[in-house]
Amino acid sequence: MKKSQKYLSTLVPFICLLILVFTIYFGYMLFFGHRKLSFLEDVESNNYASITHYAIYGIHLNIQGNINIDDEVNDMKLILSNGKKELELPFIYTNNGSNYTFKTSHYINEGIVLDNLPKGEYYLLIKVNNKKYYSVQNKTTYENLEYYTITNNKKNNKINIEWNTYDECPTLRFSIKEEKLPSDVYDITLDPGHDAVDPGMTVCYDGKSVIPIHSNSCSSGELIKESDLNLVVSLKLKELLERDGYKVSITRDDYQDEVDVYAPMGSATMANDTHSKLNLAIHHNSLGATVNNDYLGFEIYIANDTETTFAESLLNNLKKSANAYPSHKEKYAIIPGIYQRYFSEEEIGSEEYYWNTSMIYYYNIREVGGISTHAAQDGIGRPEYPKNEHYLSNNTAEPYLLELGYMDNLNDLKNIMDNPLGYAEGIKNAINEYLKAL
Ligand SMILES: [Zn+2]
């Protein structure tokens, strides 16, 4: 064998191997890399749906938008597609001629249940007449979203919702994969109302009678502070929720703690600082100076445009576990025991506040929900007050305010003092019904 032949016999297999490797690599990229998105080539070009609003609120994503379609529309769906599988999403639409407006729900706490989305990579599309597909473009000032699902058997999925383009086609991509919960992400935030500085309502209680007082001295019986009752129930609730596997943050866990409302990890900010899905403010009610035994029972305050499944579950479970009754106060009631209180014209007055009559009165609901609950710039309404860093957020917790009973009503106070665990259990069971039924 000549020297050159020997050289060639080594080189040829090497070149062949190199060609094979390149063929496999490029073949794979061409086939799989391309196939992964090729279904997007079937979407209509130069006509996209405009997304005008999208917000994560609790465990739900809500999307609103519009699209112009000249063809006759018999059927329109909102889907997530990966080219093989299509997931149909909640969708409501109306039209004015060829202009169609759509949303995923009328309620801020309904729409796409993020926790139910299966793992994988999907694109948001509108499917018309079962044959034409339209992609979506971002017409808001908001960008990508990130969400961690509620902890379930110590597991969480991470969902990235990202605006992108594919071949000049605007897209909204959902990537869902299992990922460990980061240390700063929680499931639920509890906010035991008031603190060591502001105790809320105070009463003197001797087991047979209750007297509202406005000082720190109680000559007959025991001095009961609202801040302490709120904390007793909240700490028990935290323990029960953690036993069921949830990761729970709390705005204070000591009777001596002082809490700032708008500072980082404050009572109006912690739920969003910790990316919690639910925020429960726990309080006890009072009529102030007048003891009126006609008033008793718990009151559940909810945000604007809220679907009441969870609130009703709280109501039923508090009845069952705490032997408590919904208040029969009628003002602001939607359902007996469930309330939606907006600012009134009188409360806004003539001053130039940010408040308006479409805003919820209670800051611990309004300021937690970001754009979904019309949070104000500073929460209080006056520019000199601290700013709520989350007031423009489109990724917030779903807030509730619970007034568990009237402290100046003997029956209520007795029930609360005798059975705080029953109240905690009722709330925990309602949370499980809402979140574990996903
Ligand atoms: Zn209170």
Side-chain angles (χ1 to χ4, degrees):
M1 198 186 275
K2 279 185 193 167
K3 203 179 173 186
S4 65
Q5 271 179 327
K6 200 176 171 189
Y7 177 70
L8 213 65
S9 68
T10 340
L11 199 65
V12 167
F14 178 72
I15 290 170
C16 284
L17 187 72
L18 215 65
I19 289 168
L20 189 71
V21 168
F22 272 93
T23 311
I24 290 170
Y25 176 73
F26 285 112
Y28 178 86
M29 288 307 287
L30 203 70
F31 187 67
F32 288 101
H34 189 67
R35 199 182 71 156
K36 205 171 162 189
L37 290 179
S38 67
F39 72 96
L40 286 180
E41 285 166 6
D42 296 334
V43 309
E44 298 298 309
S45 53
N46 304 318
N47 187 16
Y48 312 113
S50 297
I51 299 301
T52 53
H53 168 95
Y54 67 103
I56 292 177
Y57 181 73
I59 54 173
H60 292 97
L61 169 67
N62 260 296
I63 297 176
Q64 291 175 19
N66 57 69
I67 185 168
N68 218 73
I69 295 172
D70 290 327
D71 301 348
E72 193 185 311
V73 174
N74 302 315
D75 182 62
M76 196 188 278
K77 289 185 182 107
L78 185 69
I79 59 162
L80 281 177
S81 173
N82 63 4
K84 287 181 242 162
K85 198 161 58 172
E86 291 183 359
L87 306 168
E88 198 178 330
L89 302 172
F91 194 54
I92 302 163
Y93 66 91
T94 55
N95 72 306
N96 186 355
S98 59
N99 189 266
Y100 289 77
T101 56
F102 58 84
K103 53 170 105 172
T104 46
S105 173
H106 295 297
Y107 299 109
I108 56 175
N109 63 336
E110 213 182 46
I112 302 164
V113 183
L114 290 168
D115 287 65
N116 284 349
L117 296 181
K119 278 176 256 183
E121 219 167 75
Y122 305 89
Y123 289 83
L124 188 78
L125 300 173
I126 287 175
K127 189 179 182 181
V128 173
N129 296 341
N130 275 317
K131 59 175 198 277
K132 281 194 174 176
Y133 292 90
Y134 298 86
S135 193
V136 293
Q137 57 186 342
N138 189 1
K139 292 287 181 185
T140 74
T141 55
Y142 292 90
E143 291 171 3
N144 300 340
L145 288 169
E146 193 181 278
Y147 177 86
Y148 283 88
T149 55
I150 293 279
T151 307
N152 199 348
N153 292 325
K154 296 184 181 163
K155 284 184 177 167
N156 302 81
N157 285 346
K158 184 184 185 188
I159 304 178
N160 282 102
I161 302 168
E162 291 172 336
W163 294 100
N164 244 311
T165 50
Y166 171 75
D167 237 359
E168 294 177 14
C169 168
T171 62
L172 185 59
R173 187 179 67 197
F174 288 60
S175 309
I176 303 129
K177 54 178 188 246
E178 191 177 323
E179 205 166 300
K180 206 172 167 283
L181 204 63
S183 60
D184 62 342
V185 178
Y186 285 73
D187 298 310
I188 299 161
T189 292
L190 301 179
D191 174 27
H194 309 280
D195 62 6
V197 180
D198 161 29
M201 179 67 178
T202 46
V203 295
C204 264
Y205 173 64
D206 62 5
K208 292 190 235 62
S209 67
V210 55
I211 305 159
I213 52 164
H214 296 284
S215 66
N216 255 346
S217 67
C218 178
S219 50
S220 61
E222 193 188 344
L223 175 77
I224 313 281
K225 295 177 189 171
E226 188 204 333
S227 55
D228 292 350
L229 287 187
N230 298 340
L231 188 56
V232 169
V233 176
S234 300
L235 288 175
K236 286 191 193 303
L237 176 57
K238 183 171 186 278
E239 202 186 314
L240 294 178
L241 289 169
E242 285 173 342
R243 214 182 285 165
D244 281 2
Y246 299 108
K247 196 171 165 192
V248 184
S249 64
I250 191 160
T251 52
R252 63 186 177 103
D253 58 8
D254 191 282
Y255 295 90
Q256 305 311 319
D257 280 349
E258 291 175 31
V259 176
D260 200 323
V261 175
Y262 291 101
M265 296 294 183
S267 57
T269 52
M270 183 182 265
N272 293 325
D273 286 341
T274 59
H275 313 283
S276 290
K277 272 50 98 177
L278 272 180
N279 183 70
L280 301 186
I282 309 288
H283 284 250
H284 289 79
N285 228 331
S286 67
L287 283 164
T290 352
V291 178
N292 183 340
N293 278 303
D294 289 345
Y295 272 98
L296 81 166
F298 59 82
E299 293 169 10
I300 298 160
Y301 286 84
I302 63 173
N304 49 286
D305 309 317
T306 293
E307 198 275 328
T308 56
T309 302
F310 178 57
E312 286 182 66
S313 170
L314 281 166
L315 191 142
N316 292 330
N317 279 291
L318 281 171
K319 273 194 207 169
K320 218 185 293 173
S321 299
N323 199 22
Y325 296 90
S327 166
H328 53 237
K329 188 173 92 180
E330 281 172 8
K331 208 172 179 188
Y332 315 117
I334 304 178
I335 296 168
I338 300 173
Y339 299 82
Q340 209 166 44
R341 180 174 176 186
Y342 294 91
F343 279 110
S344 65
E345 294 284 359
E346 302 82 71
E347 280 156 348
I348 295 166
S350 56
E351 290 184 66
E352 283 180 41
Y353 290 163
Y354 296 101
W355 299 337
N356 61 56
T357 51
S358 69
M359 282 177 168
I360 288 289
Y361 177 83
Y362 293 107
Y363 79 91
N364 33 23
I365 300 176
R366 182 189 67 243
E367 293 304 314
V368 174
I371 61 168
S372 298
T373 53
H374 316 297
Q377 181 170 353
D378 52 71
I380 309 287
R382 298 186 181 104
E384 67 270 25
Y385 277 79
K387 191 170 162 178
N388 169 13
E389 292 298 332
H390 302 285
Y391 86 104
L392 278 180
S393 176
N394 70 335
N395 191 352
T396 68
E398 178 178 355
Y400 288 82
L401 166 61
L402 308 184
E403 297 277 0
L404 295 181
Y406 280 82
M407 284 177 69
D408 44 8
N409 176 286
L410 187 60
N411 292 330
D412 272 13
L413 188 62
K414 254 187 179 158
N415 203 24
I416 293 155
M417 296 291 288
D418 292 349
N419 189 19
L421 186 62
Y423 285 84
E425 263 168 358
I427 300 167
K428 189 253 328 187
N429 291 340
I431 291 172
N432 273 339
E433 274 178 24
Y434 192 47
L435 300 180
K436 295 247 158 120
L438 294 172

